[in-house]
Amino acid sequence: MHILLTNDDGIYAPGIAALKHQIQTLGQITVVAPDIEQSGVGHSITFSHPLRIREVRLNNEFIGYGVNGSPADCVKLAAFEIMKKGPDVVISGLNMGANVGIHILYSGTVAAAVEAAIMGFPSIAVSFEITDRYADVAAAAKVARDVIERIIKHKLPKGSLLNVNIPARPPEQIKGIKVTRQFAHDFKETFDKRTDPSGRAYYWLMGTNKSIHREEGTDLTAVNDGYISITPLRYDLTDHGMHKKIETWDWNIES
Ligand code: MN
């Protein structure tokens, strides 16, 4: 099995190294990742400047291909240019920080998995809810490997991807795995307004994973309760209910 491993934290990030270490016995691993951090870039693609692929070495060891672009760029370049055949599965992670609820829409980690799904490759995004209290990346990567192994035993349907989130706690304190849906409401977010040395205001987005209310069955609640969350996602954003409804509206153009 040939696995494409990517992320949005950048090719030197600890999460991708830890996950590579854990999954190397599952198959042949090709790492193609952004050369600098791309967290929060969502599903952006690069077409206004040239993309370059660089062979990246760390401690004299080849670790993968660095791309001066987004996670989605990495998946496209990996499939079209770097890998001889397309990957059998694409794994994006291990991201430093949970990707639950509407954060999925901003996430470069999830976007890489979405890009893979669009291209017809089975894909999994894996994120780790890192906190000030707990940040054992190696332990989380081990947990991630166990989940990935369970997933790849099955055939993922085309056009779908799985979004995995691991709670910030030691493996022995994780309560289990829950199949969830995306929490679809907003989070408590604010801007911290500050003043720069020349007296002008600047703003810093202050985000949390604390929701306005608790909703059972969601990715957010599962992770907050100490469970690994697995959410199947689709990139077809059509609102079928709304489609039915607005079809009945008057769309006739008088001539
Ligand atoms: Mn990230």
Side-chain angles (χ1 to χ4, degrees), residues 25-68:
T25 52
L26 297 180
Q28 186 192 344
I29 317 287
T30 298
V31 173
V32 183
D35 56 10
I36 56 166
E37 182 170 354
Q38 297 285 309
S39 293
V41 301
H43 206 134
S44 70
I45 49 166
T46 303
F47 52 80
S48 58
H49 63 262
L51 286 170
R52 295 185 196 278
I53 300 167
R54 188 167 63 89
E55 291 191 9
V56 177
R57 285 174 188 279
L58 191 61
N59 299 324
N60 277 332
E61 189 197 325
F62 172 70
I63 58 165
Y65 300 91
V67 173
N68 62 330

Side-chain angles (χ1 to χ4, degrees), residues 129-142:
E129 183 212 20
I130 210 161
T131 66
D132 293 341
R133 289 171 288 109
Y134 186 79
D136 189 338
V137 177
K142 216 169 174 178

Side-chain angles (χ1 to χ4, degrees), residues 128-170:
F128 171 40
E129 183 212 20
I130 210 161
T131 66
D132 293 341
R133 289 171 288 109
Y134 186 79
D136 189 338
V137 177
K142 216 169 174 178
V143 171
R145 182 220 150 92
D146 178 53
V147 175
I148 289 165
E149 241 187 314
R150 288 162 187 258
I151 291 171
I152 60 179
K153 280 187 195 149
H154 303 271
K155 202 169 158 16
L156 291 179
K158 279 218 156 123
S160 180
L161 59 134
L162 295 180
N163 185 37
V164 177
N165 280 279
I166 298 166
R169 53 175 69 198

Side-chain angles (χ1 to χ4, degrees), residues 216-239:
E216 297 305 326
T218 63
D219 49 5
L220 176 70
T221 299
V223 169
N224 282 345
D225 288 352
Y227 290 89
I228 296 165
S229 165
I230 303 185
T231 314
L233 300 175
R234 294 184 69 84
Y235 53 82
D236 177 354
L237 302 178
T238 310
D239 182 337

